[in-house]
Amino acid sequence: MKAITYKTSGASDVMALTDRPVPTPGEGEVRVAVRVSGVNPTDWKARQGGTPHGEQVPNQDGSGVIDAVGPGVPEARIGERVWLWEAAWGRADGTAQEYVTLPARQAVALPGHASFDLGASLGIPALTAHRTLTVADGGPSRLAPGALAGRTVLVAGGAGAVGNAAIQLARWAGATVITTVSGPAKGELAKAAGAQHVVDYRAQDAAAEIRRIAPGGVDIVVEVAPAANAALDEAVTAPDAVVAFYADDSASFSVPARPSMFANLRWQGVLVYTVPAAAKDDAVAAVSAAVADGAIRVGESAGLPLHRFPLPRTAEAHDAVQQAVVGKVLIDVAG
Ligand SMILES: NC(=O)c1ccc[n+]([C@@H]2O[C@H](COP(=O)([O-])OP(=O)(O)OC[C@H]3O[C@@H](n4cnc5c(N)ncnc54)[C@H](OP(=O)(O)O)[C@@H]3O)[C@@H](O)[C@H]2O)c1
């Protein structure tokens, strides 16, 4: 079978197309014939600065069809369409290969109406978004229709991949969603994702505009740029709010101490790989339910334009993500 592999970290040219034997699923594992591999910033960051696990196959996310199961996994799962999460976390076997074996719980049923493109776009962005939307004091711990009714969510950077997933999940859960963007084109994408209010943080006074939309303040901030936005977030949050930050635009950032203290404002870090196991289970279940409801979509009409590459051009796919292409980068592993 064909696989993209690398043995040393570095620029995208460390990756090469290789031939490998088709793997056999072990105890508790499934083997998936991969259709689409999804690329996220974590994939090029791991390739560039991480330590490969021997001959490393990149990419955490993907979708495909289970074609074999190991001992302990019901044979009824053979033939199941699935989406994959965290395939390469702590492992050598990511999704940029024709067949991947991985623990059965990391291959989640994908309903017939959901495309393989959608399946390959869920893992990192949607599970991260779910965590940011559920870490507030008092929950909810698992999103569902109505779970965020009455809450106002601010999504920083609503045209980003995680931002897009956060908007769609928050709307599905009944929240009012405000988002910030850097310009009109990204504003259109954020609206297509479902944001009711879009604030251009370059052209507008973002704090004043968000306060005008939500005079009582926002309850949850899904934050991609905590260093740039800490003061803004403090200025627009309601008492007992949470700022859930999932990226590091700077090695450290400072928060306004006294106002944060007086408002019981929570500054909450989120890393998808290390969220507590129960929270990960809740996220996988909720994202699956949202997919089943048709509430998460991909493509331009959902605010997430797709950019496709064939497997041999995986290096270009990584470079596109590193250069912050707007939308979702997908690799066609099999037709
Ligand atoms: N912690 C985790 O578990 C986790 C999970 C997934 C991703 N991440 C990290 O999160 C980051 C984003 O990932 P992604 O896949 O969503 O990337 P992406 O699709 O490239 O989106 C990044 C977005 O950040 C926005 N942004 C940058 N500066 C901003 C600011 N000052 N205010 C508001 N928005 C701002 C950009 O929008 P504008 O141009 O409109 O500003 C852009 O749309 C990456 O660093 C990634 O490694 C972390």
Side-chain angles (χ1 to χ4, degrees), residues 109-168:
L110 185 65
H113 64 75
S115 68
F116 287 116
D117 289 354
L118 174 63
S121 305
L122 293 171
I124 295 277
L127 299 181
T128 303
H130 187 276
R131 175 65 173 169
T132 62
L133 294 167
T134 53
V135 281
D137 201 17
S141 56
R142 184 183 291 195
L143 296 183
L148 292 178
R151 311 271 185 98
T152 302
V153 175
L154 170 62
V155 177
V162 177
N164 175 279
I167 292 170
Q168 295 197 63

Side-chain angles (χ1 to χ4, degrees), residues 41 45 124 128 157 160-162 181-182 186 201 225 229 246-247 270-272:
K45 290 177 184 177
I124 295 277
T128 303
V162 177
V181 294
S182 60
K186 287 189 171 180
Y201 68 82
N229 291 332
Y246 62 90
V270 168
L271 180 68
V272 69

Side-chain angles (χ1 to χ4, degrees), residues 60-224:
Q60 302 289 343
D61 293 348
S63 60
V65 178
I66 294 177
D67 85 325
V69 297
V73 180
E75 293 215 346
R77 291 205 68 184
I78 294 172
E80 188 179 305
R81 303 169 82 251
V82 289
W83 60 278
L84 310 179
W85 53 271
E86 292 175 24
W89 175 241
R91 294 166 18 103
D93 279 299
T95 60
Q97 55 185 336
E98 288 179 317
Y99 294 89
V100 64
T101 56
L102 77 178
R105 72 186 277 267
Q106 288 169 243
V108 186
L110 185 65
H113 64 75
S115 68
F116 287 116
D117 289 354
L118 174 63
S121 305
L122 293 171
I124 295 277
L127 299 181
T128 303
H130 187 276
R131 175 65 173 169
T132 62
L133 294 167
T134 53
V135 281
D137 201 17
S141 56
R142 184 183 291 195
L143 296 183
L148 292 178
R151 311 271 185 98
T152 302
V153 175
L154 170 62
V155 177
V162 177
N164 175 279
I167 292 170
Q168 295 197 63
L169 283 171
R171 285 301 313 277
W172 175 63
T176 297
V177 178
I178 307 169
T179 190
T180 56
V181 294
S182 60
K186 287 189 171 180
E188 289 307 315
L189 293 174
K191 270 189 216 154
Q196 293 105 317
H197 306 279
V198 177
V199 176
D200 183 332
Y201 68 82
R202 290 206 175 126
Q204 294 174 280
D205 177 340
E209 186 59 14
I210 293 165
R211 272 285 173 193
R212 187 191 65 73
I213 297 163
V218 306
D219 303 297
I220 300 168
V221 183
V222 179
E223 185 55 81
V224 67

Side-chain angles (χ1 to χ4, degrees), residues 36-39 117 121 189 299-300 304-310 316-317 320-321 324-332:
V36 180
S37 174
V39 188
D117 289 354
S121 305
L189 293 174
E300 183 102 25
L304 197 68
L306 301 179
H307 309 277
R308 319 195 72 90
F309 295 83
E316 288 171 62
V321 175
V325 67
V326 179
K328 185 75 211 174
V329 171
L330 299 176
I331 295 169
D332 289 304

